[in-house]
Every structure is written in structure tokens, then in C-alpha cells.
Amino acid sequence: MSAENPPVPVQVATENGSSTVFVAVVKVERREESGIFGPVVGLDAHLRATTAPQAEPQSMFYSRLAGETRWTADAHFGPNGFPHFSHGFGSLITRARVLTREIAALVDSEALRAGLVEAIDQENPLVLTGQQG
């Protein structure tokens, strides 16, 4: 997916009702790496998001590994590039920060559209296209 995807407004549930977040899915791709506990295989997503359509967006990176049901934050950078945190793709040794259900649905639809998954939702473990088992 191209960095030219325009941001779309997403209503996100909050403690005080809801809020609009403008989200652009920059990319969703299959990724495989060797981790310290063995192979790390799943999807890698790069998002840009802001709460004001004209504001500079923040960059966020999420992964969803084969067998997982949620997108987990790997890195977050402010509009100026300031690193809020960066754990690396599929990090399983840090506190999980998960993507909201509303934004996860947008990323899920991009993964499905790109043919990276057979089916994807937030209730079932991720099965990649061509994955056995």
C-alpha cells in the first residue's frame, strides 16, 4: 500500500463517549524475522494518525503475529519524529499496547484487500494466506 492513502475518520470509543481519529494506513505487509525465541511471522502495519485533520500525524507501527487476535504496538513516533517507544516487530517481551477495535477493523480490511490473509477479525487467531494449520 502506498503512503498516499488519505486519512479516513474513525470514531473511537473513549471513557467520555467517542472521539474522531483521522487514520491513514501507510502499509500492511507480511513480515518474517528470526527472534530470540524462534521465528516471528505475521503482519506489519504502519499507520499515521491525528485527532485534527490538518495537524501533523503521529506514526505508529503495529504487528499481529500468526495465531494472535489483536494488533500490538511495536513503535510510536511523534509528528516531529520523537520516539515515544520502539520495541521492534512482534516484540513479546514488553507490555502489550493494543490497537482500538475500531482502528483494528480498518487495518484488518486493508490486510484482507491486499490478499495477505484468508479471513481476519478480532475474535479469531490470525491465519496468513498460504499458512498451514
Side-chain angles (χ1 to χ4, degrees):
M1 268 149 274
S2 146
E4 304 305 316
N5 286 339
V8 295
V10 178
Q11 284 297 118
V12 177
T14 65
E15 294 175 0
N16 301 320
S18 69
S19 180
T20 301
V21 179
F22 297 87
V23 181
V25 178
V26 177
K27 72 172 176 83
V28 178
E29 63 186 10
R30 183 184 175 121
R31 187 165 171 183
E32 298 182 35
E33 289 188 1
S34 294
I36 59 174
F37 300 115
V40 180
V41 180
L43 298 177
D44 184 25
H46 176 193
L47 311 177
R48 293 188 200 276
T50 183
T51 56
Q54 302 306 317
E56 286 294 317
Q58 300 187 40
S59 286
M60 295 166 285
F61 296 83
Y62 288 84
S63 59
R64 184 168 171 181
L65 303 183
E68 292 182 342
T69 57
R70 302 296 299 266
W71 289 93
T72 304
D74 293 328
H76 177 187
F77 298 91
N80 62 354
F82 178 82
H84 292 270
F85 62 88
S86 181
H87 304 305
F89 173 70
S91 178
L92 299 174
I93 57 174
T94 60
R95 185 181 128 236
R97 294 177 174 100
V98 297
L99 193 53
T100 66
R101 296 181 75 75
E102 300 88 350
I103 297 173
L106 175 66
V107 181
D108 288 351
S109 68
E110 288 294 319
L112 189 59
R113 187 179 67 75
L116 299 169
V117 295
E118 298 293 331
I120 189 169
D121 62 50
Q122 296 167 50
E123 305 303 322
N124 296 295
L126 176 64
V127 177
L128 299 166
T129 300
Q131 179 182 336
Q132 299 296 318

